Amino acid sequence: MFKKILIANRGEIACRVMKTARKMGIKTVAVYSDADRDAMHVEMADEAIHIGPPPAAQSYLVIEKIVAACKESGAEAVHPGYGFLSEREAFPVALQKAGIVFIGPNPKAIAAMGDKIESKKAAALAKVSTVPGYLGEISDAAHAVKIADEIGYPVMIKASAGGGGKGMRIAWSRDEVADGFSSSRNEAKASFGDDRMFIEKFIVNPRHIEIQLIGDKHGNIVYLGERECSIQRRNQKVIEEAPSPLLDEKTRKAMGEQAVALAKAVGYDSAGTVEFVAGQDRSFFFLEMNTRLQVEHPVTEMITGVDLVEQMIRVAAGEKLPWKQSDIKLKGWAVESRIYAEDPYRSFLPSIGRLVKYRPPVEGSADGFTVRNDTGVFEGGEISMFYDPMIAKLVTHGPTREAAIDLQSEALDAFYIDGIQHNIPFLAALMQHPRWRSGKLSTGFIAEEFPDGFASRSPAGEELMVLSAVAATIDHLNNARRREITQQMHGKPVRFAARRIVELGQVRQNVHVEGGIAGPVKVTMLDESGAGSDVLELASKWYPGDPVWSGLVRDIDVSVQVRPILNGYNLAYRGISTPARVYTEREAALAALMPVKAAADMSKYLLCPMPGLVKAVNVAEGAEVKAGDALAIVEAMKMENILRAERDGKVKKVNAKAGDSLAVDAVILEFA
Amino acid sequence: MKDVIQELERRRDEARLGGGQARIDAQHKRGKLTARERIELLMDDGSFEEFDTFVEHRCAEFGMEKQKVPGDGVVTGWGTINGRVVYVFAKDFTVFGGSLSQAHAQKIMKIQDMALKNRAPIMGLFDAGGARIQEGVDALGGYGEVFLRNVLSSGVIPQISVIMGPCAGGDVYSPAMTDFIFMVKDTSYMFVTGPDVVKTVTNETVTAEELGGARVHTTKSSIADRAYENDVEALLQMRRLMDFLPSNNMDGVPELPTHDRADRVDHSLDTLIPDNPNKPYDIKELIGKVVDEADFFEIQDTFAKNIVTGFARMEGRTVGIVANQPMVLAGVLDSDASRKAARFVRFCDCFDIPIVTFVDVPGFLPGTAQEYGGLIKHGAKLLFAYAEATVPKVTVITRKAYGGAYDVMSSKHIRGDVNYAWPTAEIAVMGAKGAAEILYRSDLADPEKIKLRIDEYQKRFANPFVAAERGYIDEVILPSGTRQRICRALNMLRNKTLENPWKKHDNIPL
């Protein structure tokens, strides 16, 4: 076995690999760019080597620098993680030349499967069912249109070297093919340094299901069940689970065997994933093979009990797989949420900055339930504009799908992040979504269920009761404590009415509260007439200043995030985010007399939706614009965002120019 | 006996109705509460005791003898806020527009006298039309006597004014002499002379809101310390503020029990200071992470934002926080920031509130605007305030402490009690670039050489150790342990005894 390995990656995956290496008694070497000087993976590693400036193309993507770092540190092998160099054939070749082991498949297998065009050819040869498409190289947009016409619409345009949704477009018409082809190609070039593209038929209402497999250098390959990753937003996976609610034993076996056949055909000898697109009728077509560890590998680890990284290291060192296919048994259900630095309330625009607060839920296993959080960040760390905006992967495992989802839901409620915007409210809302819970998924799920984007919802029913009760309990505790202040007048202690009115945004709930600071608090819901109905008993160790109220409500674990605002708190629970104010009856009556103020009208301004760099301002002062016209391009997180006019109008003033670095909500231009 | 009790009830009910239901409804329609409703919100349930309910004016001119309303346009009395005694007067806009008569003024004076004699805070809620013209010179006399009491109470008991409607002419000077002024957005304004007079005298056309609205006074004039959305929000925040304030200048700060541990370590503070010395960071993150429960009552949050001032607690006891804000103008000291902080420091010193100062200051702001505006004397106010203050003073230098601004920001030299520096601190006469360019003027032509000189200076002086070697810094501390250090220091300073030389009063450069 290796004594020391280098991890040619950063963020959560570098930390993930190091955890296993450490468990195996292998020393670890991290590499880092200027932007990652204080990153968690650097902190975790036994040693760390600096490899250049922040842009990946000048650091994490430079093969020579990684090889040099191996030589300098004496690392015998390299784990590439995912992304970066993980699927570059040249990388293992260069390592081999330097006498260093690549913890991944052999270069030939990467060449055969890593390239999406080549892999389709190989799959067809291995009799794996494939989607109709064009496997040659495409010269230009006109060529792309011709091919798309032949296949029939809709089609999907993809970067050959791509992954993670970058350089990918769906086109429903000739015009869209022409447009999409150019922009995809530009994105592909920028992201992967490779602008080869391909086009294939787009399957309507599809599901994304993939088979995890692992092979050794002795010709053994087993599959480790499937993962379903149908919950995607703009082709970026958001939630993954294993197993898939769609598959039956028969389909699982058929898919697994086809995947293994394909892997065998190319002499595959590490962990890899064969992705399929599946119809609702359980038909499936080969999509591509990823010759690396996938982001979502933890869900497979949870249901199989296999440490995929450990096995990758072992097979790379020449060991045989310890099991046969018949040894692989799936146990329970696992769900993973990807926590991204993006603003769900502003069409998921990227958000960067300092993690002022970062409090993940407690990890651990008990009674067949597990919470696992794979992360590469820490409180006080920085989400930088240079790399992937993923903050963490929250994984839960339980005996059933419902149990895993419930646990995920509660873990998300307890996951507290401040300083940047993040998608936890969206994920938490998703966990409650009836269609998600029913398992009737497709890759269009998010676009179909959230056509107008994401917004908080008004609490009702059980959620209203829980939030009212928690708000009332917090207020009760605060009042009780304020009564303990010194310098009070002698005599009768201050009285506080037990009847309270909880105002959650526009919703009001009358309650009756009793109980002491230490003991449980009893909150009775009151109807209009003042008569009591449901009684909730709450017990918690929450104290003012704690970011999350965690405790039992009617003996069920509940977590509610608590952010102080003037005279109240903002509460977040199951994707609901609401200001909460608790009044006495008199206060509520007087508060009701207060005028409702309209928010300032910002429709005359084009605001910068995220911190970023202005690439271009397309209009000049005095220009007439039509709704939908491109006004400016702002680049953030390596993505170009085109800002369009929401309605017709005339540009009055332009405040920004190309090259400006803007903060979120900076005024780019004003309309007349 | 029953009859007289009934008569009392009848008179009380009549008095409580102020100017009558129609005027109360009109007040509500304007988005404002009545004087008595406001007091109800301010005080603990049922704790308010009204005085002088039946006082009426004695004016017999202009037909006033036919118009009498018990209370005469102001509600006065006392009650408790979380059990602590507070005196209050609230102008009743429904009665003669809240205008001030002699009797009205006497009601306020009575409450002012009681508050001073009994050493408890006094709060004024303003919503009035100024002097009652019919009373003429009697009203002016009344104002003068109220003003005098404001002055005599200053520094003895906290005096707080909340402007919740019009406040003009003679009415403005009483709030102006109190410790803090709060306003309600859109429904309150304050000015010496109103838009009509302004138009006549200077020919300016201006609305009341533009002339003296909450926005103007919290961002431009700095007359007001904070503004709130509406009456309810403002009054509930006044309850919160009172929990921070001492009752008087003898009793010391109140204590609120907390579960926030004094030895809480926050590792995220070890990464607060960016690697790039020119990159800003938010000093409010540090404040939030150091004080109890992140509970910070900011004073003047929208004015001179390059310095942050406000109240917080450490181990349950009130402290005043003063901090340079690198996010705004790099945290530079200008005239506005100096005046803002100086007044806050003096309030804390009056009432025995320990001062915790966080320093990241690149110096004083250069320029004609500043110099013509009297930066020298404004800057001196802050220097003076810190130097004369005898309360416990704990200082933490997080990054820059350059030049004269270093001295001003509660340095050891002006009796800072415990002065800490983070390892990232740079205590120097100026930044490395500026210093090297002055010291090595002859090398200016050679960019290579001057860069070398800058690096040299940076290495030698851009750290806390030069100052620490001289004892100007008591200890260099880890950012993560800042809370623990400050808590310990404040505990150690609990019995600090320090008196300035006897004087009638000092002569701060006003």
Side-chain angles (χ1 to χ4, degrees), chain A residues 338-351:
Chain A
R338 294 194 190 185
I339 298 174
Y340 285 113
E342 60 186 20
D343 188 344
Y345 303 110
R346 289 168 172 248
S347 32
F348 298 91
L349 290 168
S351 175

Side-chain angles (χ1 to χ4, degrees), chain A residues 354 356 379-380 382 481-482 484-489 494 543-544 566-567 586-587 590 593-594 597, chain B residues 40-41 82-85 185-186 229-230 233 236-237 243 252 254-255 257 259 268 271 285 289 293:
Chain A
R354 181 175 157 81
V356 172
E379 186 166 295
E382 191 92 11
R481 180 169 67 131
R482 299 247 167 223
E484 312 269 301
I485 198 167
T486 58
Q487 303 183 349
Q488 292 192 43
M489 198 172 76
V494 190
Y543 209 78
L566 281 187
N567 302 320
R586 186 65 181 142
E587 285 167 352
L590 295 176
L593 294 171
M594 294 293 100
K597 295 184 185 178
Chain B
E40 258 184 284
L41 282 174
N82 287 320
R84 297 167 69 218
V85 175
K185 289 179 196 166
D186 305 321
E229 284 304 325
N230 57 50
E233 187 179 282
L236 294 181
Q237 281 297 302
D243 284 350
E255 250 183 272
H259 276 209
S268 68
T271 56
E285 181 184 336
K289 285 181 172 176
E293 301 165 17

Side-chain angles (χ1 to χ4, degrees), chain B residues 99-112:
Chain B
S99 62
L100 181 131
S101 68
Q102 189 185 35
H104 175 128
Q106 280 165 344
K107 280 182 71 173
I108 297 174
M109 286 178 233
K110 186 194 266 184
I111 287 297
Q112 286 182 303

